[in-house]
Amino acid sequence: MSKTVDDSSSGSEGVETDPRLLSSAPQASLARSLVSGEDAEIFRALADAMPHLAWMAEPDGTIFWYNQRWYDYTGTSPGEMKQKGWQSALEARDLPRVVTNFKAAITAGTCWEDAFNLRRHDGVLRWHVSHTEPLCNEAGEIVCWYGTNTDITEEHTELTSLRESEALLRDLLENAPVMIWIMDADGGCSYLSRTWYEFTGQTPESGLGSGWMEVLHPEDRLSMRNRFAEAVKEEKAFRVEYRLRRKSDGTYRWMMDSAVPRYGPDGTFQGFIGSVTDIADRKESEDLLRENKDELVSRVEARTAELRSLTLELTRAERRERKRLARILHDEIQQLLAAIKMHADVALRQEGNPEILKKVLKLSDDAISACRNLAVGLSPPVMYEADLAGALKWLGSHLEEQHGLEVTVSAGLLPTELPEEIRLLVFEITRELLFNVVKHSGVDQAEVRVGFENQSLWVEVEDKGKGCNEEALTRPGRESFGLFSIRERLAEFNGTMESHSRPGEGCRVRAVLPATLPKSIRLSKDTVPVIPLKSLPTQKRRGILRLLLAEDQQIMRQGLAEMLSSQQDIEVVAQAADEEEAVDLALHHKPDVVVIDINMIGTSQLDSTRIIREGLPRVRVVGLSMHDNAQDLPPAETIGADAVLSKDAPVSRLLALVRGNTV
C-alpha cells in the first residue's frame, strides 16, 4: 500500500537539517520536509521511540535515512552507512536472495517483505523481518520508500523448533513399524501413514475420509463402522481386531487397531489417533496353541474316559464274579444240602435214630441258610428279578434284618422298563450309601427316595445322624472312597452326585443319571409284589395223585422224586430236566399235579405253565424256589402257578400243596 503526499513546498530557509540524511539528491528536499522544520523534533522523537529499525529510500531504492535504533543496533554511524551501505549488516548467505527480492519490488513498485539475519553491534546475528512500502505524490509517482526491520528472533526460534518437531513427528509417523492414522471429530480419517499406503496399496485420495474401510474384510466392515461411530460418540480409547487386505498377495491378515482420543488446548474433542499392528502371526500361534491345548484336553478326557471305562469294567467283572459264585452256591451247594435234608426227612419218617436225624436236619437248615445269605450278599437275585422299587424295598428289609437299620423307601413314578445297567447301578449306589449310614451315621433309621423326571432317574439317601463337614465328603481318602467310586460310576452314564452334610445335622446324598429309554415312556406307580396266602383248589379225585416233576438240578430232582414217591397217595409219573421236556411230558401223561422249579420257566422262550394249563385246565401247578423270603418269591399268578414254595420249606408244606390243602 502506497502513501500520497504534496511535494510542492521546497522552502528550507532557516530549517535545521537532520544530520542522518545521506543524500543531497533532489528528493532530499522531501526528506528535509519530513525530518526538518518545526515538526522535526516530533518526527525524530517518534522515529527513535518506535521499537523497529526504520529507514527511508529514494525511488530507486537508495537508502538515505535511518533512525537512531538502526545505528544503535548495528553499531555504525551515518558516515559508515553512506560508505558501506545496509548490505554490510546482512549475513553473507542471505544477501543474494534479499538483494534480488528487494530490487524486484523496487522495479515493480510494490511492497516488499522478507526475513533474514541482521548482524548486531556485538556480531550476533538476529532474525528480522523487513517490510517496505512506497510513498507516492498526488500524481501517483513514487517519491520515496519507507521501511522497518523488526526483531523476530524468539518467534523464529519457536517456529523453527515447531517445524523441527513437526518434521520429526512426521518422520516418526511415516517410518513407524506400525500403521498410523488420525481421525477428526466427525469420524473422517484425515491422515494415513506411508506404511498404510504401502501395505494396502491405497493412495490418499482413496484412503482418507471413509475410504480406508474398503480394504477391510467384507465381513468386518459393518461391525467396524459401527464400532468407530460408537467410539466417536463416547470419546473413549478403544481397541478392535479386524482383517485387512494386503496389496502384495491379496490376502487378509488380522490386525489390532488401538486408538486414544485427541483434545485441543481448550479441552474440546478433536478425534482419535491410532495405530494398526499386524497380529496375524500371533493369531496363528494362538490358534496353534489352542489346538494343542484342545488336543491335550481331548487326550486327558480320553484318558479319563478310559479310566472310567476301566472302573466300570472292574465293577462289571466284580458283578459277574459275584453272580458266578452265587450260581455255584445256588445250583450246587444249596441243591445238595436241600437233597440231604429231604433224605433225612424221609429217614426220620421211616426208621433210624430220630435224635441223630434231627441234628442232620438242623445242620442242613443251617448250611442252607448260610449259603443263601452268602448268595444274597454276593448278588441278590432281586436285582435281576424284581422291578427297581421292589428291589430297593427288599434291600431296606435285608439291611434291617442284617444290621438293624430301619429303611423307609418312597418310590415315585418310575418307568415300567429300565435298562439293566441303570437299574443295577441305582441299586448298588443305594446299597453303598446305606452301608455308609450303618458305618458312620450313628443312627438306626434312613430314608430312600427314588423318582424319575426330565428324562433322568434320581435316588436320594438321607439320615439324621452325626453328619460331617462337606469337605470330608469330597476330600480324597479312605472314608470317602465309596463316594468317589459312586461318582466315577455315575460319570460313565453322564450322571452327577450332590451331597449335603453338617456336623450334627445328618447327611443327604442325591445321585442323578439320564435314563436311556424309548421315546414313548409309560409311567406307572411301582409296587412291591406280595405273595398272598391263598386256598388252592380242593382235590376232589380219589385214589392216586399222578405227578410230573420238572427240575433241572439232578440231585434235587432225584431227592424230590424219592421223597414224593415215598407217599402212598402220590405217583411220580414223569421227570423233566428242562422246560421243553416238561411241556411234552405234561401233555403226554396228563398228570394231576406239576411240581416245577420256577427258574426253568421261560428259559426256552416258552410260556410252559400257560401251555400246560391250556392243555390241562384242571392241573395243579406248584412252583419251587431256593428263596425262603416271601418278598423274594414272585406272585404265583405271574408265573402261571397255583402256589410258590421254598425248596427248604418243611416237606409237610410241599405235600399239603401237592394234595391241594390250604397253607
Side-chain angles (χ1 to χ4, degrees), residues 22 62-63 66 70 74 76-90 95 118:
L22 305 181
T62 302
I63 297 178
Y66 297 93
W70 172 274
T74 62
T76 60
S77 63
E80 291 176 331
M81 294 307 301
K82 183 177 180 180
Q83 196 173 34
K84 298 180 180 178
W86 58 271
Q87 299 180 12
S88 61
L90 267 66
L95 186 59
L118 277 179

Side-chain angles (χ1 to χ4, degrees), residues 21 52 147 199 218 228 246 251 262 279 303 317 334 486 532 595:
L21 286 173
H52 309 288
F199 184 92
F228 274 74
R246 184 166 59 183
T251 60
R262 297 186 299 119
I279 60 170
R303 181 56 178 164
Q334 286 181 245
I486 292 174
V595 176

Side-chain angles (χ1 to χ4, degrees), residues 418-436:
L418 280 172
E420 183 178 272
E421 288 284 348
I422 293 178
R423 192 176 70 253
L424 295 179
L425 178 60
V426 173
F427 183 91
E428 291 169 349
I429 288 175
T430 305
R431 182 173 60 181
E432 184 72 35
L433 294 175
L434 288 175
F435 277 142
N436 285 343

Side-chain angles (χ1 to χ4, degrees), residues 105-119:
I106 295 299
T107 301
T110 59
C111 298
W112 171 72
E113 185 173 283
D114 205 349
F116 45 84
N117 277 302
L118 277 179
R119 186 175 291 102

